[in-house]
Amino acid sequence: MGRLKLQSGIKAIEEEPEECESTSSNKAALACMINSEVGAVLAVMRRNVRWGGRYMSGDDQLEHSLIQSLKALRKQIFSWQHQWHTINPAVYLQPFLDVIRSDETGAPITGVALSSVYKILTLDILCLNTVNVEDAMHLVVDAVTSCRFEVTDPASEELVLMKILQVLLACMKSKVSVMLSNQHVCTIVNTCFRIVHQAGTKSELLQRIARHSMHELVRCIFSHLPDVGNTEHALVNRGSSVKLEGIGHDSEYNFGNKQLENGNGGSEYDGQPSSVGFASNSSTGLVTSVLDENAIGAGNGKEATPYDLHLMTEPYGVPCMVEIFHFLCSLLNVVEHLGMAPRSNTIAFDEDVPLFALGLINSAIELGGPSIRRHPRLLSLIQDELFRNLMQFGLSMSPLILSMVCSIVLNLYQHLRTELKLQLEAFFSCVILRLAQSRYGASYQQQEVAMEALVDFCRQKTFMVEMYANLDCDITCSNVFEDLANLLSKSAFPVNCPLSAMHILALDGLIAVIQGMAERIGNGSLGSEQSPVNLEEYTPFWMVKCDNYSDPSVWVPFVCRRKYIKRRLMIGADHFNRDPKKGLEFLQGTHLLPEKLDPQSVACFFRYTAGLDKNLVGDFLGNHDEFCVQVLHEFAGTFDFQDMNLDTALRLFLETFRLPGESQKIQRVLEAFSERYYEQSPQILANKDAALLLSYSLIMLNTDQHNVQVKKKMTEDDFIRNNRHINGGNDLPRDFLSELYHSICKNEIRTTPEQGSGFPEMTPSRWIDLMHKSKKTAQFIVADSRAFLDHDMFAIMSGPTIAAISVVFDHAEHEEVYQTCIDGFLAVAKISACHHLEDVLDDLVVSLCKFTTLLNPSSVEEPVLAFGDDTKARMATVTVFTIANRYGDYIRTGWRNILDCILRLHKLGLLPARVASDAADDSELSADPGQGKPITNSLSSAHMPSIGTPRRSSGLMGRFSQLLSLDTEEPRSQPTEQQLAAHQRTLQTIQKCHIDSIFTESKFLQSDSLLQLARALIWAAGRPQKGNSSPEDEDTAVFCLELLIAITLNNRDRIKLLWQGVYEHISNIVQSTVMPCALVEKAVFGLLRICQRLLPYKENLADELLRSLQLVLKLDARVADAYCEQITQEVSRLVKANATHIRSQMGWRTITSLLSITARHPEASEAGFDALLFIMSDGAHLLPANYVLCVDAARQFAESRVGQAERSVRALDLMSGSVVCLSQWAREAKEAMAEEEVSKMYQDIGEMWLRLVQGLRKVCLDQREEVRNHALVSLQRCLSGVEGFQLPHSLWLQCFDMVIFTMLDDLLDIAQGHSQKDYRNMEGTLSLAMKLLSKVFLQLLNELAQLTTFCKLWLGVLSRMEKYMKVKVKGKRTEKLPELVPELLKNTLLVMKARGVLVQRSALGGDSLWELTWLHVNNIAPSLQSEVFPDQSLEQKKDETGKSLASDETGSAPSNETAA
């Protein structure tokens, strides 16, 4: 509670600063508190003999000034009437501070005084509007930092040191700390650091506390950075003039005592440490030297410009932070001064100092954060000095240091990455990528720390994108993203070893990157829509910058273009390494070099392209050819040697190619170098010749020092002597030459740079070059959460990633690792689908299917139980089907593997038995598209084997009941608990897979994927074999066919896409099957179902669908016979449902052929006739297109002996009834059509009618009397029922010839020739036939009489009558016919006479008809002529009656003759 109260107190003070204490009681309380502190100090002083004795001695001399001042304060405090904040704090602080400063007091007294000051500081007596608070704070700091005391025993000394730390920390933490000047803050830090240093020889506790205080101080100071305004303009200008000489030279801000002496002359800090424990230098060990190196400013480089005095005395801000930060960085440099390069150090080397310094630096960065970039001097410290040290300590053997370095870099990435592009690249290339692989000699611990750090970076969502955009897509940078991704996938691979923590760690990193991509998918801007890059012509692209690095619509195409160029350059480099000339030609061809080569573009190619063979580049640059010399000079011009040491410049220059061996070439190369160097750094050298000579000299020195064959090495004096008078006739400064000499001796210039793209070491010269480059490099692109570049990035890493995750999944044994891998797989699937990378998704599916164990040849006893016990297999199975359901749109060849899994589950009886039928039936519920049946229903019914499919105990329950059943051949034991549990798990797994929805939801699949799924099903079903295939294969084929039909039905809108494949597959089955079996049954009925379902929706496909039914006609006889009835029922159902949708003749032909076949099939004919009835009754569905076909089918039913005669009669009625349709069509045609169309239509109708009567003629010869006679009646009806339409005369002649006469002749043949057994009661039939002839002839007499061939026709009629008159049935004359024929003939003659057709003409040759008629008539009935024409007078009479008769007949004739 106290803390809460205190805080609210602080708040109150902040809010009402003008009255720090509101009540008099508060005043009194503070007075009491100070009084008690005075008492405490005096009490301790009295215990000491020196102070106590003098006080008691009764001398005339007054008390010691320290005691006096304390007592005086005691007198005053209770008499102050004013508010506390109006009282100068110096008054009540000074007595305590005097005690602290006094070197006469012992440690206990000093300690109590320090505690009193601490108490005053922490009680918030001081606030910002207290009088003279600034001076008071300065007094406190000065007194405490120059604290003096006598050391009596180590413990009390440590206590005082602790209290000093406490007070200094309280100063920094108090509200008024903002009043402290830069100078004082530096002093506080310096004092703290000295205590840290001294604590090295003291107790562990003091060491810990000192270090903790230092941390707290740094945190306090740097947490103030965000509040500091950007006002230090003076210092910004100055900061920019600071130049660092080189990495080996420590350029220190003069932090420490000297500074204190300048800024604070009154400090006694550096007095003799006679009796003073605090400033004692007696401590030994590393830290002493550290302290001396740093605090005393013994740097061996140029002193950096310190800040002005007036800046140091202003309230603290950036200047002191720069000083402190610089001091912390210089603590890292100490290691170099001690000659301990981090490469060679071992963990035995005390890692203390660097670790301590790095911890402080980390705190400073955490708190300063993004504000640092507002202060150029701080930023440049981080960019150069700090990062340079981090690069070195990164390679430290100590995992602790490495871990701290990585934490700092991660913080820097978070806050300042935009300012540290090349530094980050260097860190990843030279530290992380080197350490994380064992091949560079890193220990396992180092590898692990580096990998952990990398994974932390990968967990930053935008890290990899930014690496890719800024480095991989920058021509002059390395491919950090690619290298890191490869490193992760390689490190995740367990090669010949068990899975270790390292593998899992790398996997986590990989999956973090992949999941980052997957999360970005929803945020729009998928990169796949970017247009491909095309280079039309060469433009100098090396140093092009983007117009706007913050607008993705600008920078995304820019970096994609750069990446494209970079890739092409790598190919170019490869060509160049094989043949330089062809390589350059290739680059010209791809517009990466201009058509006419110019020196600058070739120089840039050599300078910035990674992977070139440096020997070839060196040979090219050293060549004497004029173009090569120009290229060499341009090449040298790409370097920036501003303010660089000559040896550093030379190292950089010679790193980019191999210096040729011949002296002229070396000369040319060095001339170009010297010219460029002198142009940029003319400080010491008089001219470029001096630079050339000195460069030569350095090369020679380098050979001399580092070539093993040179036994007598050159000394420093030799080197200086060799270089006399080269600087325009004068000597160069000795220390300048000396420095060069030592630099070369220590560090060889490598004239054969390492080839290839290993991860280089960071050398001092490379660092200087990096700092130069970083001024010119392109701006850092900050990525947001949209997926701009993910398509390209994923394309690079997907292959290795899938492989790595798969291998880990394969080796893993723990469920959480499985889950990690599965998450990775799902993320890969999501990205592949969203970026339309079908190949990747297929690869993934292939990998996953292997893990389901479903595709392994089953060697296990009980595969179902094994699957239930295998967690990995079950997880993989669920994942495969999750991917198939979620991302099926983008699966192509992967469907085959998925189907293999489904078929395996099917074989094991693990599929819900109704997967396929559910899938198909779903489309019947199409009114409610959301209604997929839940898989559980089908599981419970799974033990019902599906009809007609021979399946071994199909379904899961069936399988299980086998396991449980005790009455099998061999007695089985009861399943154990474990077996039951395994079964249960298997069940649940299959339920989670939702296998059925792959097919029920196939209507939502994209076309390409759907087509592939259908092809996969056809492929999985296998080619149907003639002969016997194994029941298992047939089962598979049936199942695949069911699924195929299901997806066909589900995708009726896209039937065109699937139809070809489905049809061919069914056709193969139908044509290769010779015996009835489940497969052919499925095929035929599946085909019929497809037609039934799709006809209503796909009019344009109706013909094709119906044509497919012709396959049924191709069935083997045995097969057809077995299924005939069901087929007919299906066809019947099809017709009834879709008659209106069948329009074409072709479609109807298929239907009617199917129906006709059934006419002679005992079981099927009923259904077939039913369908025909449906089409023909009342002409319901008769059309010109199907008329002839239906009549033909009806004829077949009429002739069929299967079933009752009654059905044949009904069939005849259907035929004769159809005439009505003909007259209706004729009527409609006349009303609706143009004349030409009408005549065409009449012609068609005539042909149909002719086919109808021809059909009936055939049935007239039927053996069954009832049918035969009914056929004649029907024929008569059809011949006389044509009032509705006019038939051309020619058609009637055809009709007489082909139908009536033929029928009469055939009937006669039958009557005379066949035994009575076959044909009963022929006489009745003949009579009917005769009547039909007479009736039809008379009806048509008027038209026929007009014809030229009438005579022939009439003779035909007479000759038939004559034959019928004399016919013998069974060898006997008939009774009825001799009576009937003359009567009919008489009637006919009378009508002919009446109509004037039969008259005697006197004209010559005109009466052949008359003659011939009587010739025949007399053969039949001689008496008829006299009866018809008795005598002339009678003739007259008859003539009149004939006329009236004729007029009657003709009166009614128009109704017959005129067509509707």
Side-chain angles (χ1 to χ4, degrees):
M1 282 305 291
R3 176 172 295 172
L4 282 175
K5 272 183 188 156
L6 178 71
Q7 290 206 325
S8 58
I10 291 171
K11 222 173 203 148
I13 291 170
E14 282 171 358
E15 285 163 7
E16 318 165 28
E18 65 282 349
E19 40 179 331
C20 285
E21 317 79 24
S22 46
T23 60
S24 54
S25 64
N26 201 344
K27 255 193 264 180
L30 289 172
C32 291
M33 187 274 297
I34 291 178
N35 183 48
S36 68
E37 291 305 315
V38 173
V41 175
L42 285 173
V44 179
M45 289 177 84
R46 285 196 190 99
R47 281 172 61 185
N48 187 307
V49 178
R50 178 198 298 174
W51 304 100
R54 181 175 299 182
Y55 179 60
M56 298 290 286
S57 68
D59 286 358
D60 298 338
Q61 190 188 359
L62 289 168
E63 292 142 323
H64 190 283
S65 59
L66 289 179
I67 292 179
Q68 273 183 339
S69 61
L70 284 165
K71 287 186 168 177
L73 176 58
R74 234 178 176 169
K75 279 183 193 155
Q76 278 179 305
I77 43 177
F78 289 111
S79 59
W80 285 332
Q81 295 304 312
H82 307 291
Q83 297 286 5
W84 271 93
H85 67 87
T86 58
I87 297 163
N88 184 350
V91 178
Y92 50 85
L93 283 170
Q94 194 64 55
F96 296 105
L97 299 179
D98 289 344
V99 173
I100 292 169
R101 277 174 179 250
S102 165
D103 50 6
E104 294 174 28
T105 51
I109 301 170
T110 309
V112 175
L114 283 165
S115 292
S116 303
V117 174
Y118 175 70
K119 193 168 183 181
I120 292 169
L121 284 172
T122 51
L123 277 178
D124 281 328
I125 298 175
L126 305 177
C127 57
L128 288 175
N129 55 348
T130 305
V131 179
N132 273 1
V133 71
E134 191 175 347
D135 296 345
M137 287 304 282
H138 291 175
L139 280 173
V140 173
V141 172
D142 289 343
V144 176
T145 53
S146 50
C147 168
R148 298 264 175 250
F149 59 93
E150 286 175 353
V151 178
T152 50
D153 63 306
S156 58
E157 180 195 357
E158 286 188 18
L159 192 63
V160 173
L161 292 179
M162 266 169 59
K163 289 192 169 173
I164 289 173
L165 290 170
Q166 211 179 20
V167 173
L168 292 177
L169 199 50
C171 285
M172 282 312 303
K173 284 188 169 179
S174 93
K175 280 190 310 194
V176 288
S177 64
V178 289
M179 296 298 190
L180 291 170
S181 69
N182 285 305
Q183 179 63 67
H184 281 97
V185 173
C186 290
T187 311
I188 290 174
V189 173
N190 203 29
T191 306
C192 266
F193 185 71
R194 282 186 167 270
I195 296 177
V196 170
H197 156 227
Q198 284 197 352
T201 56
K202 307 271 190 294
S203 73
E204 178 80 8
L205 181 62
L206 179 64
Q207 287 183 35
R208 293 292 167 95
I209 288 178
R211 290 182 170 222
H212 175 71
S213 305
M214 189 78 181
H215 263 284
E216 287 294 298
L217 269 182
V218 169
R219 292 177 73 83
C220 260
I221 295 165
F222 279 88
S223 61
H224 180 57
L225 182 61
D227 311 328
V228 174
N230 197 355
T231 50
E232 282 85 0
H233 45 118
L235 123 99
V236 171
N237 302 338
R238 170 170 305 233
S240 62
S241 68
V242 176
K243 293 283 179 222
L244 302 185
E245 178 62 24
I247 215 165
H249 307 300
D250 194 21
S251 44
E252 303 208 303
Y253 290 131
N254 194 359
F255 182 87
N257 288 358
K258 277 191 187 168
Q259 178 99 46
L260 291 180
E261 283 164 13
N262 301 343
N264 185 6
S267 155
E268 299 174 67
Y269 196 94
D270 293 294
Q272 291 304 307
S274 51
S275 63
V276 184
F278 169 45
S280 151
N281 262 345
S282 58
S283 55
T284 53
L286 174 76
V287 187
T288 316
S289 51
V290 170
L291 190 72
D292 296 345
E293 290 269 348
N294 279 281
I296 303 169
N300 58 351
K302 294 194 258 180
E303 294 292 324
T305 323
Y307 284 112
D308 291 359
L309 206 56
H310 80 89
L311 268 175
M312 292 312 285
T313 51
E314 283 182 3
Y316 89 94
V318 177
C320 72
M321 296 185 204
V322 170
E323 293 292 329
I324 293 165
F325 203 84
H326 182 269
F327 168 62
L328 297 176
C329 292
S330 63
L331 283 180
L332 297 173
N333 290 340
V334 167
V335 182
E336 291 173 40
H337 303 156
L338 295 175
M340 299 292 287
R343 288 292 293 142
S344 63
N345 69 6
T346 56
I347 295 189
F349 160 63
D350 183 8
E351 58 196 4
D352 211 27
V353 176
L355 202 52
F356 176 55
L358 288 168
L360 294 174
I361 288 170
N362 195 32
S363 295
I365 291 167
E366 282 171 345
L367 290 159
S371 317
I372 294 174
R373 69 160 62 95
R374 298 208 308 266
H375 307 291
R377 223 164 148 174
L378 260 181
L379 185 59
S380 71
L381 271 175
I382 287 176
Q383 287 170 325
D384 188 354
E385 194 170 354
L386 172 63
F387 237 106
R388 186 183 71 224
N389 284 314
L390 291 177
M391 298 292 290
Q392 280 189 293
F393 281 105
L395 299 174
S396 151
M397 297 298 287
S398 153
L400 290 173
I401 290 183
L402 176 56
S403 178
M404 185 52 84
V405 166
C406 293
S407 301
I408 293 175
V409 177
L410 183 59
N411 275 322
L412 288 171
Y413 169 78
Q414 285 295 3
H415 299 309
L416 298 172
R417 57 181 180 271
T418 52
E419 317 299 329
L420 298 171
K421 174 174 161 180
L422 297 183
Q423 286 87 337
L424 287 167
E425 178 196 9
F427 180 75
F428 285 108
S429 298
C430 306
V431 178
I432 298 287
L433 285 161
R434 277 178 82 84
L435 291 184
Q437 312 180 54
S438 48
R439 70 162 189 246
Y440 289 104
S443 68
Y444 181 78
Q445 279 185 314
Q446 281 175 298
Q447 287 179 50
E448 197 168 23
V449 173
M451 187 56 76
E452 277 169 0
L454 175 52
V455 173
D456 285 338
F457 275 101
C458 292
R459 289 183 179 130
Q460 315 306 312
K461 297 289 181 221
T462 59
F463 168 71
M464 283 299 212
V465 190
E466 288 176 348
M467 290 299 103
Y468 182 75
N470 288 295
L471 302 176
D472 289 55
C473 295
D474 187 325
I475 294 168
T476 58
C477 296
S478 54
N479 289 339
V480 171
F481 160 74
E482 212 163 315
D483 293 336
L484 291 178
N486 285 337
L487 169 68
L488 286 170
S489 44
K490 267 190 212 142
S491 307
F493 254 88
V495 185
N496 308 330
C497 62
L499 206 57
S500 68
M502 186 77 145
H503 297 127
I504 304 298
L505 191 60
L507 181 77
D508 281 342
L510 259 188
I511 289 176
V513 177
I514 292 291
Q515 284 180 329
M517 288 184 185
E519 281 168 29
R520 282 193 290 274
I521 279 169
N523 306 334
S525 305
L526 295 182
S528 49
E529 296 95 58
Q530 273 159 24
S531 50
V533 179
N534 255 330
L535 298 180
E536 299 298 333
E537 53 178 5
Y538 170 77
T539 47
F541 51 79
W542 300 97
M543 289 296 162
V544 180
K545 297 257 170 96
C546 178
D547 302 333
N548 182 349
Y549 283 101
S550 53
D551 177 3
S553 62
V554 179
W555 68 253
V556 173
F558 176 77
V559 297
C560 290
R561 182 184 163 82
R562 303 286 279 183
K563 184 64 183 169
Y564 172 80
I565 291 174
K566 192 172 183 179
R567 282 203 180 103
R568 306 296 293 175
L569 279 173
M570 301 307 265
I571 300 169
D574 202 40
H575 282 280
F576 178 86
N577 292 345
R578 276 178 280 174
D579 181 337
K581 189 161 179 255
K582 284 188 181 157
L584 295 176
E585 283 169 7
F586 169 81
L587 289 162
Q588 286 172 288
T590 51
H591 304 299
L592 293 173
L593 287 176
E595 282 182 35
K596 187 177 184 310
L597 284 180
D598 66 90
Q600 189 183 10
S601 56
V602 178
C604 287
F605 171 66
F606 288 155
R607 176 82 163 93
Y608 300 116
T609 306
L612 289 174
D613 182 330
K614 295 185 175 179
N615 293 331
L616 293 174
V617 177
D619 287 343
F620 191 99
L621 294 174
N623 202 316
H624 60 79
D625 176 74
E626 189 187 341
F627 181 70
C628 295
V629 174
Q630 288 173 331
V631 171
L632 172 63
H633 282 273
E634 286 287 351
F635 182 76
T638 61
F639 286 86
D640 177 10
F641 296 138
Q642 202 85 38
D643 303 320
M644 228 183 250
N645 276 3
L646 181 68
D647 69 311
T648 305
L650 193 56
R651 283 173 206 280
L652 281 179
F653 188 65
L654 295 179
E655 253 180 16
T656 50
F657 60 93
R658 181 184 175 162
L659 192 61
E662 301 145 53
S663 54
Q664 289 107 325
K665 287 189 175 183
I666 294 176
Q667 165 118 19
R668 276 193 289 276
V669 170
L670 288 181
E671 271 175 6
F673 165 75
S674 311
E675 202 173 300
R676 176 67 175 166
Y677 182 77
Y678 177 71
E679 188 186 305
Q680 289 193 294
S681 293
Q683 286 85 348
I684 293 180
L685 300 170
N687 51 31
K688 65 178 182 185
D689 293 341
L692 175 62
L693 290 167
L694 193 53
S695 305
Y696 247 116
S697 189
L698 288 178
I699 297 278
M700 286 161 68
L701 172 67
N702 191 55
T703 312
D704 173 90
Q705 292 293 325
H706 300 287
N707 191 329
V708 279
Q709 275 133 15
V710 179
K711 296 290 178 260
K712 186 174 182 299
K713 304 288 187 193
M714 195 187 296
T715 63
E716 186 178 337
D717 289 337
D718 294 340
F719 178 67
I720 292 170
R721 198 179 310 116
N722 290 348
N723 288 304
R724 276 200 203 124
H725 311 312
I726 63 169
N727 197 18
N730 299 323
D731 283 355
L732 285 159
R734 185 182 176 91
D735 55 353
F736 173 71
L737 290 173
S738 169
E739 197 180 313
L740 287 175
Y741 174 82
H742 288 295
S743 172
I744 299 289
C745 292
K746 244 194 286 184
N747 199 344
E748 178 187 358
I749 295 178
R750 296 190 178 277
T751 49
T752 54
E754 70 260 25
Q755 291 285 355
S757 56
F759 299 110
E761 281 186 69
M762 181 50 72
T763 59
S765 53
R766 282 183 186 154
W767 184 260
I768 292 168
D769 184 43
L770 184 141
M771 295 314 296
H772 278 266
K773 275 188 191 159
S774 64
K775 296 188 185 97
K776 298 179 185 165
T777 187
Q779 192 181 328
F780 189 94
I781 296 167
V782 181
D784 59 16
S785 58
R786 285 175 290 177
F788 293 118
L789 300 170
D790 286 357
H791 180 274
D792 302 346
M793 290 167 61
F794 185 68
I796 291 171
M797 66 182 291
S798 59
T801 301
I802 293 177
I805 302 177
S806 302
V807 172
V808 175
F809 191 59
D810 196 18
H811 283 64
E813 284 162 10
H814 296 292
E815 211 159 311
E816 58 273 27
V817 180
Y818 297 162
Q819 195 51 56
T820 307
C821 294
I822 294 291
D823 293 344
F825 284 134
L826 287 172
V828 168
K830 182 176 181 184
I831 301 163
S832 316
C834 292
H835 291 293
H836 302 229
L837 297 165
E838 290 88 358
D839 307 354
V840 179
L841 197 55
D842 286 337
D843 290 349
L844 177 64
V845 168
V846 171
S847 278
L848 271 170
C849 286
K850 288 178 191 150
F851 293 119
T852 60
T853 67
L854 296 171
L855 307 185
N856 312 352
S858 178
S859 53
V860 203
E861 279 279 297
E862 267 296 343
V864 180
L865 293 181
F867 183 73
D869 287 329
D870 189 341
T871 310
K872 188 188 292 184
R874 294 201 314 278
M875 287 175 92
T877 308
V878 172
T879 310
V880 167
F881 289 110
T882 305
I883 290 173
N885 276 311
R886 269 189 215 162
Y887 310 116
D889 276 346
Y890 304 98
I891 297 175
R892 299 288 179 265
T893 53
W895 282 122
R896 291 189 173 191
N897 304 72
I898 292 171
L899 273 175
D900 284 342
C901 294
I902 293 178
L903 290 175
R904 177 80 180 128
L905 289 170
H906 174 68
K907 279 177 189 156
L908 293 176
L910 290 178
L911 276 192
R914 293 180 42 102
V915 161
S917 44
D918 267 3
D921 292 347
D922 248 21
S923 59
E924 285 173 350
L925 311 170
S926 55
D928 175 7
Q931 251 191 330
K933 300 183 186 169
I935 194 165
T936 39
N937 306 356
S938 34
L939 267 170
S940 54
S941 62
H943 58 276
M944 295 289 292
S946 70
I947 301 162
T949 316
R951 235 184 243 177
R952 298 158 295 99
S953 73
S954 147
L956 192 53
M957 295 304 173
R959 191 83 199 159
F960 203 38
S961 57
Q962 273 184 353
L963 184 76
L964 295 168
S965 62
L966 300 166
D967 54 359
T968 42
E969 296 77 54
E970 50 190 286
R972 278 264 183 102
S973 58
Q974 278 285 349
T976 61
E977 283 291 314
Q978 283 94 329
Q979 288 176 321
L980 285 166
H983 247 285
Q984 195 52 39
R985 285 194 295 274
T986 303
L987 242 165
Q988 287 164 347
T989 302
I990 303 303
Q991 236 171 334
K992 276 188 212 154
C993 290
H994 301 297
I995 294 171
D996 53 344
S997 54
I998 293 177
F999 304 100
T1000 51
E1001 301 300 306
S1002 63
K1003 50 181 165 293
F1004 302 118
L1005 275 184
Q1006 280 190 3
S1007 303
D1008 290 348
S1009 176
L1010 179 65
L1011 191 57
Q1012 291 290 350
L1013 173 58
R1015 284 180 183 161
L1017 278 166
I1018 292 168
W1019 171 82
R1023 299 275 311 164
Q1025 311 288 319
K1026 280 218 182 214
N1028 298 342
S1029 54
S1030 70
E1032 195 146 289
D1033 289 346
E1034 194 196 357
D1035 193 25
T1036 301
V1038 169
F1039 183 65
C1040 289
L1041 183 61
E1042 283 177 356
L1043 292 177
L1044 185 62
I1045 291 167
I1047 64 168
T1048 310
L1049 293 176
N1050 268 321
N1051 288 280
R1052 58 179 185 223
D1053 298 328
R1054 294 185 285 182
I1055 183 68
K1056 275 209 165 103
L1057 186 71
L1058 300 172
W1059 180 245
Q1060 191 58 35
V1062 175
Y1063 175 71
E1064 282 170 15
H1065 181 57
I1066 291 179
S1067 164
N1068 284 335
I1069 293 172
V1070 166
Q1071 294 180 6
S1072 63
T1073 312
V1074 289
M1075 292 302 283
C1077 63
L1079 180 60
V1080 75
E1081 179 187 348
K1082 266 281 173 292
V1084 171
F1085 293 112
L1087 187 63
L1088 283 160
R1089 271 179 77 198
I1090 291 173
C1091 292
Q1092 281 177 20
R1093 289 281 183 83
L1094 299 184
L1095 273 174
Y1097 301 103
K1098 293 283 158 195
E1099 305 234 332
N1100 48 350
L1101 265 182
D1103 285 0
E1104 215 163 314
L1105 289 169
L1106 291 165
R1107 188 184 300 132
S1108 69
L1109 292 180
Q1110 291 174 359
L1111 284 177
V1112 179
L1113 303 173
K1114 297 180 184 168
L1115 280 171
D1116 184 279
R1118 284 166 292 192
V1119 181
D1121 193 53
Y1123 301 125
C1124 195
E1125 185 176 6
Q1126 287 138 292
I1127 292 175
T1128 316
Q1129 283 168 352
E1130 291 298 319
V1131 172
S1132 171
R1133 199 169 298 157
L1134 174 89
V1135 170
K1136 288 180 178 174
N1138 298 301
T1140 50
H1141 301 291
I1142 308 174
R1143 300 274 164 79
S1144 73
Q1145 188 168 0
M1146 207 280 320
W1148 280 111
R1149 177 169 292 122
T1150 310
I1151 297 284
T1152 51
S1153 353
L1154 285 167
L1155 295 178
S1156 309
I1157 292 172
T1158 64
R1160 285 172 181 68
H1161 193 282
E1163 287 92 33
S1165 59
E1166 193 52 54
F1169 187 66
D1170 188 40
L1172 193 65
L1173 259 176
F1174 174 76
I1175 299 169
M1176 293 184 70
S1177 3
D1178 307 327
H1181 297 287
L1182 282 176
L1183 305 165
N1186 67 5
Y1187 184 83
V1188 173
L1189 298 163
C1190 290
V1191 165
D1192 205 41
R1195 176 184 62 76
Q1196 303 215 27
F1197 275 102
E1199 289 176 345
S1200 162
R1201 303 291 299 262
V1202 175
Q1204 303 295 320
E1206 179 220 351
R1207 190 168 68 207
S1208 300
V1209 172
R1210 282 167 70 199
L1212 290 168
D1213 288 342
L1214 287 179
M1215 291 173 78
S1216 59
S1218 68
V1219 173
V1220 179
C1221 288
L1222 294 179
S1223 31
Q1224 187 186 337
W1225 295 336
R1227 222 176 19 257
E1228 285 166 3
K1230 194 164 186 188
E1231 287 164 11
M1233 293 184 183
E1235 234 167 88
E1236 294 163 27
E1237 288 174 22
V1238 172
S1239 60
K1240 169 85 176 71
M1241 188 67 188
Y1242 273 13
Q1243 197 180 332
D1244 293 348
I1245 289 174
E1247 281 169 21
M1248 290 182 229
W1249 174 79
L1250 189 60
R1251 291 292 287 272
L1252 169 67
V1253 291
Q1254 281 176 314
L1256 284 167
R1257 171 189 71 79
K1258 291 178 184 164
V1259 190
C1260 291
L1261 313 178
D1262 198 279
Q1263 287 181 335
R1264 295 164 296 175
E1265 180 192 1
E1266 186 186 344
V1267 176
R1268 191 168 62 227
N1269 294 348
H1270 196 77
L1272 277 165
V1273 173
S1274 301
L1275 178 61
Q1276 183 174 328
R1277 195 185 308 159
C1278 290
L1279 288 170
S1280 57
V1282 288
E1283 301 91 12
F1285 47 96
Q1286 283 175 325
L1287 294 175
H1289 300 145
S1290 56
L1291 201 64
W1292 278 116
L1293 288 175
Q1294 265 177 295
C1295 175
F1296 270 97
D1297 278 345
M1298 294 161 63
V1299 180
I1300 301 173
F1301 291 165
T1302 316
M1303 176 198 68
L1304 292 168
D1305 297 348
D1306 290 351
L1307 282 172
L1308 204 61
D1309 289 352
I1310 291 170
Q1312 290 171 335
H1314 290 76
S1315 67
Q1316 190 60 29
K1317 241 190 293 182
D1318 289 340
Y1319 287 85
R1320 288 211 190 100
N1321 193 4
M1322 275 304 290
E1323 192 179 351
T1325 305
L1326 295 178
S1327 310
L1328 281 171
M1330 216 59 242
K1331 285 176 184 167
L1332 178 145
L1333 173 70
S1334 147
K1335 185 162 185 188
V1336 172
F1337 181 74
L1338 283 178
Q1339 186 182 334
L1340 296 168
L1341 185 60
N1342 286 3
E1343 284 105 85
L1344 298 175
Q1346 319 290 319
L1347 299 179
T1348 50
T1349 52
F1350 175 69
C1351 182
K1352 185 181 166 196
L1353 178 72
W1354 170 233
L1355 293 177
V1357 172
L1358 289 173
S1359 68
R1360 274 23 174 226
M1361 286 184 162
E1362 193 176 332
K1363 283 179 191 165
Y1364 268 60
M1365 184 73 185
K1366 299 169 180 164
V1367 68
K1368 288 181 178 177
V1369 180
K1370 286 187 186 167
K1372 291 187 204 152
R1373 294 293 295 263
T1374 59
E1375 296 167 16
K1376 291 181 188 170
L1377 280 172
E1379 293 171 18
L1380 178 68
V1381 173
E1383 196 178 318
L1384 290 172
L1385 180 58
K1386 180 179 175 186
N1387 192 23
T1388 307
L1389 290 170
L1390 283 169
V1391 175
M1392 286 172 76
K1393 175 185 169 193
R1395 300 223 183 142
V1397 176
L1398 187 67
V1399 285
Q1400 189 172 5
R1401 289 193 175 79
S1402 52
L1404 185 63
D1407 56 354
S1408 56
L1409 177 69
W1410 177 266
E1411 302 288 337
L1412 291 168
T1413 301
W1414 298 118
L1415 206 68
H1416 279 279
V1417 170
N1418 292 335
N1419 288 344
I1420 300 167
S1423 62
L1424 273 182
Q1425 186 170 5
S1426 58
E1427 282 178 38
V1428 180
F1429 294 95
D1431 54 67
Q1432 206 59 31
S1433 62
L1434 274 172
E1435 251 175 62
Q1436 212 62 39
K1437 227 181 199 175
K1438 283 275 173 40
D1439 205 24
E1440 284 163 19
T1441 53
K1443 269 184 186 162
S1444 66
L1445 234 175
S1447 69
D1448 281 349
E1449 291 245 355
T1450 50
S1452 64
S1455 65
N1456 289 340
E1457 288 159 20
T1458 53

